[in-house]
Amino acid sequence: AATPWLLLLCLILAAGGVLQARAQPDRFISVDCGLQGETGYTENTTKLSMAPDNGGFTDDAGTCHNISAEYVTPLMGKSWFNLRSFAAGTRNCYTLRSIVPGLKYLVRARFMYGNYDGLHRLPMFDLHIGVNFWRTVNISSPFAAKFVEVIVVVPDDYVQVCLINTGAGTPFISGLDLRPLKKTMYPQVTAAQGLVLLTRFNFGGDENTGIRYPDDPHDRMWFPWVNSSSWTEISTTRRVKYEADSPFEAPMAVMQTAIRPRNASHNIEFDWEPQPQANDPSPGYIIIMHFSELQLLPSNAVREFYINLNGKLLNRDVMRPPYLYGQASYNTFAIRKSYYIVSLNATANSTLPPIINALELFSVIPTTNLSTNSQDVSAILVIKAKYQVHKNWMGDPCGPGTVMVWDSLTCSYAIASPPRITRVDLSSRGLNGDISSSFANLKALQYLNLSNNNLVGSIPNVLSQLTSLTVLYGNNSDICTNGNSCQLPTKQRRSINNSVRPRNEMMTSYASGDDLYGDGSLRLESRQFTYEELKMITNNFERVLGRGGFGYVYDGFLEDGTQVAVKLRSHSSDQGDKEFLAEARILTQIHHKNLVTMIGYCKDGEYLALVYEYMSEGTLRSKLEGQCLSWRQRLRIALESAQGLEYLHKGCNPPLVHRDVKTTNILLNAKMEARIADFGLSKAFEGDNKHVSTTTLVGTPGYVDPEYQATMQATAKSDVYSFGVVLLEVVTGK
Ligand SMILES: *[C@@H]1O[C@H](CO)[C@@H](O)[C@H](O)[C@H]1NC(C)=O
Ligand SMILES: *[C@@H]1O[C@H](CO)[C@@H](O)[C@H](O)[C@H]1NC(C)=O
Ligand SMILES: *[C@@H]1O[C@H](CO)[C@@H](O)[C@H](O)[C@H]1NC(C)=O
Ligand SMILES: *[C@@H]1O[C@H](CO)[C@@H](O)[C@H](O)[C@H]1NC(C)=O
Ligand SMILES: *[C@@H]1O[C@H](CO)[C@@H](O)[C@H](O)[C@H]1NC(C)=O
Ligand SMILES: *[C@@H]1O[C@H](CO)[C@@H](O)[C@H](O)[C@H]1NC(C)=O
Ligand SMILES: *[C@@H]1O[C@H](CO)[C@@H](O)[C@H](O)[C@H]1NC(C)=O
Ligand SMILES: *[C@@H]1O[C@H](CO)[C@@H](O)[C@H](O)[C@H]1NC(C)=O
Ligand SMILES: *[C@@H]1O[C@H](CO)[C@@H](O)[C@H](O)[C@H]1NC(C)=O
Ligand SMILES: *[C@@H]1O[C@H](CO)[C@@H](O)[C@H](O)[C@H]1NC(C)=O
Ligand SMILES: *[C@@H]1O[C@H](CO)[C@@H](O)[C@H](O)[C@H]1NC(C)=O
């Protein structure tokens, strides 16, 4: 018999029996898409609470519409009145949260077009469940209420349902349901395979009444299928049960009715045609049939039958439905045929015709595409929310495939592990505010371009923990990187009373650069020390660690016991405020694991000092002279110094030339990790002419390249030359 796939609205789904206003199960989510306002309502027949979708479900994508009045019928449930459509963007998604990762869920989407747009144009579009293809939705009638359902294992603590515009009309949706299932149910559903419902029928019963929650505690929808010309109904009012934890338990209301052929010598037959999908021209099917004997048979009566598919036994066992107990017949592995005719025929010994109580038909979909690493997803969602990025940032950041990846992101893909975000280019996106520390949670990030925005504040220290990151933040009006545009804040400027000026005005003046010398304390993360505090920290400058052109470096301890190195400018120093400020400024803005970390600074009257992390193993020079370094250690030190230098040249915008790379400026910590120090001579050089021009030669004899000596113009190549000399020392120890 032909099966009516499209269920018309005259079919009212009502819960059979007496409805009690019982509390809805905890983890049910029912969304009425396109519902206006903030408040939901209780659905009349199921008593389930329906939520409006203008909250966190869609990130405010899409627009709400009502269906045309001509399609509203008196008995139609309120949830069909409105819908949400997505005219913009290729992919728009609903995010359902509060999921237990690894559990099975039934996800159901509902659609009724109702000529909501007045265009009389029936759309066709795709649905994705997370990063996997679910099915194509072909809206074939304006008044058809279409349900589509999938059962999947959800790997994350959220699941996304995405509508994909395939160029065949504007996607829309009327409703969305999520129902948790027991782990033991539908064993064909695995992490790698989901089941897409073709149909779920209850044989017998009231032909106008479907069965769902609360009769089915999992709120599956069982549609009635009655054909009085072919079948006779059998029913009981007694309890009909499945064994506890049966994988296919159908609800009792469904099992209490069955059909048998009207002519007892006939078979029960039904058929369907395969429904090819875009990515699966010959889908595989799972057939689940539910049986229970509802009549107490006399001792001489036998009801047993074969279950055949296309004339061959589907199930080797002869079916003898147990009295008032449910029993399911099903296939474990999907079957792929060009047509499907199921027939139930009585065995020769049977005195009674076959019966069937219920039928579920599913096609299988692979769910093998992996969603982006969940830590990356959490981080990028925080970044999305902070900077209000809307354009195409919907669904999974990296997939599926490289086609759907979010605008401005690049990901890496591996076969058996989730994709990772490796590049973020948010340059020229009009970003405001400070730099989110969430970038540091993108642990696989290699490239971050935040140039040409209106960002303020300092670079979060945590970014230095990303081992392979190149960070770019140039041309933001209030993140200073360039030689003379920025000065250290003073204490007095710090105490500006913010309430005297409206906040937005302040932000504007920062952004315009008018106030670059103003309350810059907002921009510096590092601590400011007074001279008195430095005296305490260094125990009155007791122990000298070393000495440079700038002055002495002293040993010290902070209140919490952290050992530090304090570099105090001596009065006789030939390096002035300028170099001091240059180094402080550079250190507060660049962070890399192979560049020495500044903890704070002091600018107290005539006193200038910088406070660094303590590098217990001293300089590379002293190590090379003093003791035997293994080749492995030498190699690592060379590599790490090179990475620090590369960061200065390529990671900073504008790039920095160190101009004094030498073994005494490479420091080692207790773990023998190398960090480049002494930025007093560093200069930013602009991309175009790629050099720095000064009137005096700087650097250390022996390390300075001849080109620089000849032209007085230092380039990144000058540092490379100096680094070559460092390598020579590392290799020879001399
Ligand atoms: C839809 O209908 C409701 C109730 O009649 C009304 O409040 C709402 O404004 C309508 N929405 C649109 C988008 O027309
Ligand atoms: C739902 O029930 C309420 C209260 O009984 C009633 O006012 C409303 O019309 C019903 N709605 C539908 C769509 O049946
Ligand atoms: C979509 O539905 C329409 C109307 O039922 C039908 O004519 C059309 O062939 C269908 N398209 C596809 C691709 O199934
Ligand atoms: C009922 O069964 C008859 C005979 O198999 C068939 O011709 C008819 O289309 C069926 N009706 C429905 C509504 O399925
Ligand atoms: C039942 O079907 C058989 C075989 O098709 C036929 O011979 C018989 O006449 C039918 N009986 C009735 C009552 O229709
Ligand atoms: C019933 O099915 C069995 C198994 O496929 C088959 O051998 C037998 O011929 C069928 N009998 C009738 C009457 O269809
Ligand atoms: C039919 O009954 C006979 C006698 O009880 C038995 O030997 C035979 O296996 C039965 N056939 C089937 C198909 O159950
Ligand atoms: C998995 O992703 C690829 C793109 O990389 C896509 O072509 C394919 O359809 C996806 N598979 C599923 C099952 O959705
Ligand atoms: C960063 O983005 C800016 C603006 O799009 C671009 O000009 C610059 O080349 C980018 N930097 C790098 C290193 O890719
Ligand atoms: C910096 O921003 C200004 C103003 O937006 C723009 O004119 C200039 O080209 C940008 N410079 C760079 C190097 O991108
Ligand atoms: C800031 O200025 C406002 C208005 O002049 C004053 O009421 C407030 O007490 C000041 N706050 C501080 C911390 O000085």
Side-chain angles (χ1 to χ4, degrees), residues 131-133 279 366 369 400-401:
V131 287
N132 290 289
F133 179 84
N279 64 342
N369 280 353

Side-chain angles (χ1 to χ4, degrees), residues 495-500:
S495 61
I496 286 173
N497 183 340
N498 286 357
S499 62
V500 296

Side-chain angles (χ1 to χ4, degrees), residues 423 425 427-428 447 449-452 470 472 650 653:
R423 291 169 68 90
D425 184 352
S427 60
S428 311
Y447 172 93
N449 194 343
L450 297 174
S451 303
N452 297 327
T470 301
L472 298 147
K650 299 215 175 122
N653 188 11

Side-chain angles (χ1 to χ4, degrees), residues 442-518:
L442 298 169
K443 295 288 186 219
L445 197 61
Q446 294 166 6
Y447 172 93
L448 173 63
N449 194 343
L450 297 174
S451 303
N452 297 327
N453 286 300
N454 307 313
L455 295 168
V456 299
S458 60
I459 314 294
N461 254 323
V462 283
L463 281 180
S464 63
Q465 291 160 12
L466 297 175
T467 49
S468 44
L469 175 66
T470 301
V471 60
L472 298 147
Y473 45 85
N475 214 18
N476 280 284
S477 44
D478 203 32
I479 291 177
C480 9
T481 55
N482 202 338
N484 305 315
S485 62
C486 190
Q487 261 193 358
L488 282 176
T490 62
K491 274 214 144 174
Q492 181 239 329
R493 300 303 296 238
R494 222 169 150 182
S495 61
I496 286 173
N497 183 340
N498 286 357
S499 62
V500 296
R501 283 189 288 175
R503 183 153 178 79
N504 56 354
E505 197 184 305
M506 281 181 72
M507 297 313 283
T508 317
S509 66
Y510 285 158
S512 66
D514 294 341
D515 197 28
L516 278 176
Y517 294 83

